[in-house]
Amino acid sequence: MIFAKTDIGGASNVDMEGAFASVLRRPGMTTFAYIPMAMAMLFPITAATAQSGKAGPAERPTIVLVHGAFAESGSWNGVIERLRADGYSVVAASNPLRSVKTDAASVASVVNSIKAPVVLVGHSYGGAVITDAANSATNVKALVYVAAFAPEAGETSAGLTGKFPGATLGATLAPPVVLPDGSKDLYIQQDKFPSQFAADVPAPEAALMAATQRPITEGALNEPTVAPSWKTRPNWFIYGSADKNIPPAVQAFMAKRAGSKKTVVIAGASHVVMTSNPKAVADLIEEAATAR
């Protein structure tokens, strides 16, 4: 038998050779009987190793991305590409856009199905959703608001939009689509979508986003938050200085109120800052993911 010239479990190769030979010399030992004993000698698990107390590497969190009104999961594609390249597992959750309560429950179900810690990221109205959803998911380690609402208890997305001047969404909305139950779906007029929602996105891509936009119910934008999780979770904010849906002044106010760990403002960026500036958004998410 050839022994590698390396110490194993603190014993030299010379010691191991002698111990192994002694096993072979034991009377009555068959080939099959001494193999386990010999292997245990060659690869011992010492008490020192088992009780060293050295912790393994921290578990990398999964990133859950929640889109907002008039967007869809594909709006995160550039961010997802970067996060995955850096080794993160990513889930772009489908946000129903029906009501804060039911949308938060839907997102919380996705988060609770994940065994790893989660960084929960919301865009626009998706910020109101993650604010409530994190209360029902104990594995959320951080919140990231991307051009997003972070309401206080009793506040609504629609109410926050008008807290400071600058929002121009109302004038760009198409006539509401009345649903069978009497509720109303809201869309942005497709010809006005690029300038209102995605002014810094290439025109062909912005046109596709306009055609694939997901409607939100009027009721969801006017439904108050119950218990803001940003009071109990570390949070980060990023938004554009040219956002026409949620005025930058509103976002600065919310970030300060929430005690944001870091707030990034992208000069000239539109409401879909994650689409136009995916690297900056991915970098901030990773900062939240690695924070201790």
Side-chain angles (χ1 to χ4, degrees):
M1 177 171 287
I2 299 174
F3 290 85
K5 298 300 182 180
T6 305
D7 286 4
I8 303 175
S12 70
N13 60 293
V14 176
D15 294 334
M16 294 300 295
E17 289 175 5
F20 188 74
S22 69
V23 171
L24 297 181
R25 290 193 297 268
R26 291 183 185 179
M29 291 292 289
T30 65
T31 300
F32 294 107
Y34 66 66
I35 287 177
M37 294 180 62
M39 293 302 291
M41 290 181 177
L42 287 175
F43 305 104
I45 301 175
T46 65
T49 301
Q51 299 175 11
S52 63
K54 292 183 179 179
E59 187 174 13
R60 177 166 287 194
T62 294
I63 313 300
V64 176
L65 306 169
V66 181
H67 66 82
F70 317 116
E72 41 82 41
S73 295
S75 59
W76 295 108
N77 283 352
V79 175
I80 294 169
E81 181 181 17
R82 286 160 176 79
L83 292 174
R84 285 174 57 84
D86 289 340
Y88 287 91
S89 296
V90 186
V91 176
S94 179
N95 186 359
L97 305 176
R98 302 296 87 189
S99 77
V100 175
K101 182 178 180 180
T102 59
D103 295 343
S106 175
V107 169
S109 296
V110 173
V111 174
N112 283 322
S113 73
I114 298 169
K115 302 309 178 186
V118 165
V119 173
L120 192 51
V121 185
H123 169 245
S124 192
Y125 163 80
V129 172
I130 70 170
T131 294
D132 272 10
N135 292 318
S136 303
T138 58
N139 56 335
V140 175
K141 68 164 288 185
L143 301 169
V144 181
Y145 291 88
V146 179
F149 293 109
E152 173 63 278
E155 290 181 338
T156 67
S157 296
L160 280 168
T161 300
K163 190 172 183 66
F164 294 97
T168 58
L169 175 65
T172 69
L173 293 176
V177 174
V178 181
L179 302 176
D181 64 359
S183 62
K184 297 177 181 179
D185 260 353
L186 303 179
Y187 292 84
I188 298 175
Q189 298 173 55
Q190 288 197 26
D191 62 334
K192 294 182 171 61
F193 186 99
S195 61
Q196 173 62 36
F197 204 72
D200 57 345
V201 174
E205 184 177 358
L208 288 174
M209 294 173 70
T212 60
Q213 65 178 289
R214 292 273 307 282
I216 187 169
T217 64
E218 186 177 60
L221 292 176
N222 290 281
E223 183 179 342
T225 288
V226 177
S229 60
W230 47 258
K231 290 186 175 181
T232 58
R233 301 294 203 290
N235 55 81
W236 284 254
F237 282 70
I238 184 169
Y239 58 91
S241 67
D243 193 327
K244 295 180 180 180
N245 271 42
I246 307 176
V250 176
Q251 299 190 56
F253 164 77
M254 292 186 293
K256 182 178 180 181
R257 179 176 67 180
S260 172
K261 297 288 186 182
K262 183 176 183 178
T263 300
V264 177
V265 182
I266 306 296
S270 70
H271 188 55
V272 285
V273 64
M274 72 285 193
T275 304
S276 60
N277 291 269
K279 183 180 185 303
V281 173
D283 286 348
L284 189 65
I285 292 170
E286 291 192 19
E287 184 171 323
T290 56
R292 295 289 183 264

